[in-house]
């Protein structure tokens, strides 16, 4: 804050507006970032509603065929990915990073080694673009670390994510990247990917146990919050309001619950009100 300048924040039509003493407004734009793990062969109507959302309100949709791109192009997924892409939404392909094996998670071939995880990640990245072509706008890396490295002063873990980001950018120019740690991450992650998921959890956790970042991103569009089990529209509205005050440029709230809170879209009324709550700016 500049010395001698009074700052106040107000909400106007869903947009956070910051007013300084000279009344010059600065808005924080916000879009929906939806994890669209919705099977288009059984829940095509949900995809139709997502694709038909008000133009510009949905900024990101994450496609997930089978914990990744699957074994080959699927006609139903090809259709919804292309249709969503045409609306201007960035369609990201889901890629599991398995924390690079550091927690004991295994690749599909049964390995926990960093090298084998890196190889599988690169294969999945390339498969998304090979199977779905220009409909894919980038990659969503799941199961991201929330520390720079295994010990104080180490950047070993963040460097791994920086390298896979560089791999995507080099081999698929113009691609967007996002990483899901699901928790607050240290500043070392600021430039690893284009977007950082710094919260993923239940509505109760978001309202009552949220952990903020220890640093301030320059651009709110760097930050993405995912909130599930917000059972009522009032809960959703409160979560959206909190996400604005917490300066998340991307947000998604759903009433769906674990074990897979992203395999459906909220009801027609719930979704319409959620879309109405964000303001792209």
């Amino acid at each position: 804050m500049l010395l001698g300048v009074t700052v106040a924040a107000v909400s106007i039509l869903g947009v956070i507006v910051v007013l300084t003493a000279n009344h010059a407004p600065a808005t924080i734009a916000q879009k929906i970032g939806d994890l669209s793990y919705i099977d288009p062969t059984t829940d095509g109507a949900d995809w139709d509603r997502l694709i038909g959302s008000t133009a510009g309100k949905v900024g990101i949709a994450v496609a997930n065929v089978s914990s990744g791109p699957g074994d080959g192009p699927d006609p139903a997924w090809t259709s919804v990915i292309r249709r969503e892409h045409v609306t201007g939404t960035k369609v990201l392909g889901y890629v599991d990073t398995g924390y690079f094996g550091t927690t004991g998670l295994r690749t599909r071939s049964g390995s926990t080694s960093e090298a084998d995880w890196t190889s599988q990640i690169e294969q999945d990245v390339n498969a998304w673009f090979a199977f779905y072509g220009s409909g894919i706008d980038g990659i969503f890396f799941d199961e991201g670390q929330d520390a720079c490295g295994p010990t104080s002063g180490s950047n070993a873990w963040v460097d791994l994510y920086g390298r896979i980001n560089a791999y995507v950018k080099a081999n698929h120019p113009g691609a967007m990247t996002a990483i899901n740690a699901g928790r607050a991450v240290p500043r070392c992650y600021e430039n690893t990917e284009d977007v950082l998921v710094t919260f993923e959890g239940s509505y109760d956790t978001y309202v009552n146990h949220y952990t903020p970042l220890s640093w301030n991103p320059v651009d709110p569009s760097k930050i993405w919050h995912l909130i599930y089990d917000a059972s009522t529209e009032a809960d959703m509205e409160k979560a959206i309001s909190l996400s604005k005050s917490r300066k998340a440029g991307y947000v998604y709230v759903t009433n769906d619950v674990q074990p897979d809170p992203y395999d459906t879209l909220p009801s027609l009324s719930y979704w319409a009100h959620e879309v109405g709550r964000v303001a792209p700016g």
Side-chain angles (χ1 to χ4, degrees), residues 4-19:
V5 176
T6 301
V7 178
V10 297
S11 176
I12 301 175
L13 298 178
V15 182
I16 297 295
V17 180
V18 179
L19 297 177

Side-chain angles (χ1 to χ4, degrees), residues 199-208 226-237 239 252-262 264 266 270 274:
F199 179 87
E200 180 184 10
S202 70
Y203 170 79
D204 177 71
T205 302
Y206 195 60
V207 171
N208 298 308
L226 300 167
I227 304 103
Y228 55 78
D229 200 10
S231 58
T232 68
E233 290 184 22
D235 289 343
M236 175 272 294
E237 291 173 0
Y252 177 55
V253 185
T254 179
N255 56 355
D256 204 347
V257 298
Q258 292 284 21
D260 186 356
Y262 310 119
T264 63
Y270 190 114
E274 180 166 350

Side-chain angles (χ1 to χ4, degrees), residues 2 14-15 21 53 107 118 132 140-141 151 161 172 179 192 224 253 261 273:
L2 295 176
V15 182
S53 300
T107 65
T118 299
Y132 299 104
F140 176 86
F141 292 115
T151 59
Y161 291 95
H172 306 284
I179 182 174
T192 52
W224 187 356
V253 185
H273 281 89

